[in-house]
Amino acid sequence: GENVEQHPSTLSVQEGDSAVIKCTYSDSASNYFPWYKQELGKGPQLIIDIRSNVGEKKDQRIAVTLNKTAKHFSLHITETQPEDSAVYFCAAPKTGFQKLVFGTGTRLLVSP
Amino acid sequence: SQTIHQWPATLVQPVGSPLSLECTVEGTSNPNLYWYRQAAGRGLQLLFYSVGIGQISSEVPQNLSASRPQDRQFILSSKKLLLSDSGFYLCAWSVSSYNSPLHFGNGTRLTVT
């Protein structure tokens, strides 16, 4: 089955810096990779996703890159702001099932 | 647009008491429904998922059960709560297809005392 590993577990940056979170997956058949942002006391919210027919997708200050050969994908946040502080989760589908396997999460802290 | 409602937001229950958490989805038909649990500072553990009324798949053996009495209603239950059942419970839905994003509710913080 699918196994998703996420690094780092915590990440501290200064406001305006870039932040990168990386995930690896095990099932080469996986073809959909979402990223979620969870603020304190709330449910995770989808912020961006990518399918395997593209290598990169951008939405304003966030981008996701996918390397299918190496089986890893990354979230990039540029010009970070304090409101980007949250826990971020990556995920990949469990092949043959209509469900996602989540990484263990990255706590991002952006200091003013 | 689709919305997901989950209640209550917080709950404090004594050990041995029953539990019922409810989740409803609006604005979509025949969604897949999911219950996740999140321990403090930890990741998301899938407990149950359902692809249709009365169809429940359990991911891990535990003290909890789930039911789907209506198309857009998902209930998480326990007959007797344990201390280890404390956590943040999240309901989610997706369209009924592969490789679809999940949409989460705002969760229920359960404390078993």
Side-chain angles (χ1 to χ4, degrees):
Chain A
E2 180 69 279
N3 183 43
V4 178
E5 294 188 0
Q6 182 172 348
H7 301 280
S9 57
T10 59
L11 179 60
S12 295
V13 300
Q14 292 291 316
E15 183 177 1
D17 289 349
S18 295
V20 181
I21 303 170
K22 299 181 179 180
C23 287
T24 60
Y25 60 98
S26 59
D27 189 344
S28 57
S30 292
N31 55 10
Y32 172 67
F33 306 93
W35 285 91
Y36 289 82
K37 175 184 181 182
Q38 185 178 26
E39 297 179 341
L40 191 62
K42 297 185 177 181
Q45 299 297 309
L46 178 71
I47 56 172
I48 196 168
D49 55 12
I50 191 169
R51 297 184 187 273
S52 60
N53 56 343
V54 297
E56 184 177 10
K57 183 177 178 181
K58 290 183 179 180
D59 183 2
Q60 299 182 352
R61 295 186 298 107
I62 61 173
V64 55
T65 58
L66 172 64
N67 183 326
K68 286 215 71 179
T69 302
K71 290 192 285 187
H72 65 71
F73 56 111
S74 300
L75 178 70
H76 304 254
I77 306 174
T78 59
E79 301 174 24
T80 54
Q81 302 169 3
E83 52 264 39
D84 294 328
S85 297
V87 179
Y88 291 81
F89 291 96
C90 62
K94 184 171 182 178
T95 303
F97 295 86
Q98 297 181 33
K99 56 186 178 181
L100 296 173
V101 177
F102 284 85
T104 50
T106 296
R107 184 172 300 277
L108 174 65
L109 176 61
V110 181
S111 302
Chain B
S1 64
Q2 302 88 4
T3 56
I4 180 168
H5 302 279
Q6 191 180 341
W7 67 93
T10 60
L11 189 61
V12 180
Q13 292 283 99
V15 168
S17 64
L19 173 74
S20 181
L21 302 181
E22 189 164 343
C23 172
T24 59
V25 180
E26 296 178 356
T28 187
S29 296
N30 193 33
N32 289 345
L33 297 172
Y34 306 81
W35 279 111
Y36 283 84
R37 177 168 60 199
Q38 188 174 30
R42 302 288 294 277
L44 298 159
Q45 180 187 33
L46 180 61
L47 302 176
F48 301 95
Y49 73 100
S50 171
V51 298
I53 295 174
Q55 300 178 62
I56 309 294
S57 295
S58 175
E59 288 294 293
V60 293
Q62 59 202 306
N63 185 41
L64 302 168
S65 63
S67 62
R68 184 172 177 173
Q70 300 181 41
D71 181 46
R72 291 169 290 176
Q73 183 185 28
F74 207 22
I75 298 172
L76 184 69
S77 303
S78 174
K79 293 182 178 178
K80 291 184 177 182
L81 284 169
L82 306 172
L83 287 174
S84 57
D85 292 324
S86 294
F88 191 47
Y89 289 84
L90 290 156
C91 181
W93 73 272
S94 71
V95 297
S96 183
S97 67
Y98 294 93
N99 302 327
S100 299
L102 289 179
H103 306 277
F104 288 88
N106 274 328
T108 294
R109 173 78 56 194
L110 171 66
T111 303
V112 182
T113 59

